[in-house]
Amino acid sequence: MPSAASRATDETKLRRNLAAAYRLAARFGWDDTLYTHFSARLSGGKKGQQRFLLNPFGLMFKEVRASDLIVVDLDGQVVQGHAALNPAGFTIHSAVHTARDDAHCVIHTHTLPGMAVAACEQGLLQLNQISAEFYQSVGFHAYEGVAFNLEERSRIQAALGENMALILRHHGLLSVGPTVADAFCIMYYLNKACEIQLAAAQLASIAGPVTRMPPAISAHVRKQFRGVEHERQLVWAAWLRELDRTEPDYQN
């Protein structure tokens, strides 16, 4: 069992990574004033007793620092920190953390391209190399209104299944990963695929129909991406270097 000092060091690193995710999201234009959340599960909790880090309700993404993050339990209680908790954010994130042992980080966004694709009947189309990473790896959850109802968690869990991402119909996008780096990179490219789909749809009005990749090609490319998932850590390290140069206070 890790020592108290080791757990403290791990939590400090996790807090800094999650705070960095918020700062990067603000830089990429993913924020929605005070809404949407990124969470990271703390290590050491037994099944059913896990706790996770979440942004305090009231701070914009560009303001979040490592020390600002609150600790929330699976009953929706803030057990560390003094800020308020957004109930809808708790519903969505606790649903994933309780269902997926591998989902140590959960990223949820309300971006324009993500919400546009979430409104499309066919969801994410196979239009480009980036979308192929998500071929048969994205779940779909039907919209039930603002996520205040804790009973919705079981349906979110079923919709996500073992996928790396979820499209919440008429709502937005969600990604999961074993680290903040993984979940954030998955969201980055899922959102990028949605941006390309939106651009292609606009272009189709003047240039004619877009073409979709054959399923066999999509499956092949998805397998190729699975073989280089470790590269997400390199991308994340590069982003952190940029933040360290320009917004070092995220670590505080």
Side-chain angles (χ1 to χ4, degrees):
M1 179 179 295
S3 66
S6 176
R7 288 195 299 273
T9 300
D10 290 345
E11 181 173 336
T12 297
K13 181 178 179 180
L14 188 61
R15 282 178 172 274
R16 287 176 174 172
N17 274 299
L18 191 59
Y22 281 107
R23 294 296 185 95
L24 288 168
R27 184 172 295 200
F28 296 153
W30 296 358
D31 47 350
D32 181 11
T33 64
L34 308 179
Y35 300 97
T36 76
H37 306 274
F38 307 165
S39 63
R41 188 166 56 218
L42 293 168
S43 61
K46 297 180 180 179
K47 187 70 174 178
Q49 299 178 350
Q50 300 99 325
R51 297 176 173 184
F52 55 93
L53 297 170
L54 197 66
N55 56 319
F57 190 49
L59 287 184
M60 300 184 75
F61 282 13
K62 64 183 179 181
E63 299 177 294
V64 174
R65 301 170 302 169
S67 60
D68 294 320
L69 298 168
I70 59 176
V71 179
V72 181
D73 67 18
L74 296 183
D75 293 321
Q77 300 299 312
V78 177
V79 297
Q80 185 177 332
H82 303 288
L85 171 68
N86 184 323
F90 171 74
T91 297
I92 293 170
H93 288 260
S94 63
V96 179
H97 285 302
T98 55
R100 289 276 297 270
D101 290 340
D102 62 321
H104 292 286
C105 181
V106 181
I107 304 285
H108 171 46
T109 62
H110 293 166
T111 65
L112 188 153
M115 294 176 77
V117 170
C120 295
E121 182 176 349
Q122 297 184 59
L124 185 67
L125 303 179
Q126 288 297 301
L127 300 181
N128 57 85
Q129 175 173 282
I130 293 174
S131 62
E133 180 177 1
F134 302 95
Y135 180 65
Q136 295 185 337
S137 300
V138 179
F140 295 88
H141 175 60
Y143 187 63
E144 300 184 22
V146 179
F148 294 147
N149 181 9
L150 291 178
E151 293 181 357
E152 187 179 353
R153 291 190 292 188
S154 62
R155 295 182 285 278
I156 292 173
Q157 293 164 350
L160 176 62
E162 297 302 315
N163 292 305
M164 70 167 83
L166 183 67
I167 292 179
L168 298 108
R169 296 286 193 187
H170 314 294
H171 186 171
L173 306 176
L174 181 145
S175 66
V176 304
T179 67
V180 175
D182 287 294
F184 195 90
C185 286
I186 289 168
M187 179 58 72
Y188 180 87
Y189 284 105
L190 177 59
N191 192 72
K192 181 72 70 175
C194 291
E195 289 177 337
I196 294 169
Q197 183 166 322
L198 187 59
Q202 294 169 334
L203 185 62
S205 65
I206 59 173
V210 298
T211 60
R212 303 190 194 185
M213 290 187 295
I217 292 296
S218 293
H220 170 63
V221 176
R222 179 190 62 188
K223 184 177 180 180
Q224 290 179 311
F225 275 115
R226 294 294 183 275
V228 293
E229 288 180 347
H230 61 278
E231 293 179 4
R232 295 171 186 158
Q233 304 299 324
L234 298 176
V235 175
W236 184 249
W239 278 330
L240 289 186
R241 290 195 299 272
E242 174 64 15
L243 278 183
D244 289 345
R245 287 191 295 268
T246 59
E247 299 179 53
D249 65 307
Y250 80 90
Q251 301 183 53
N252 297 342

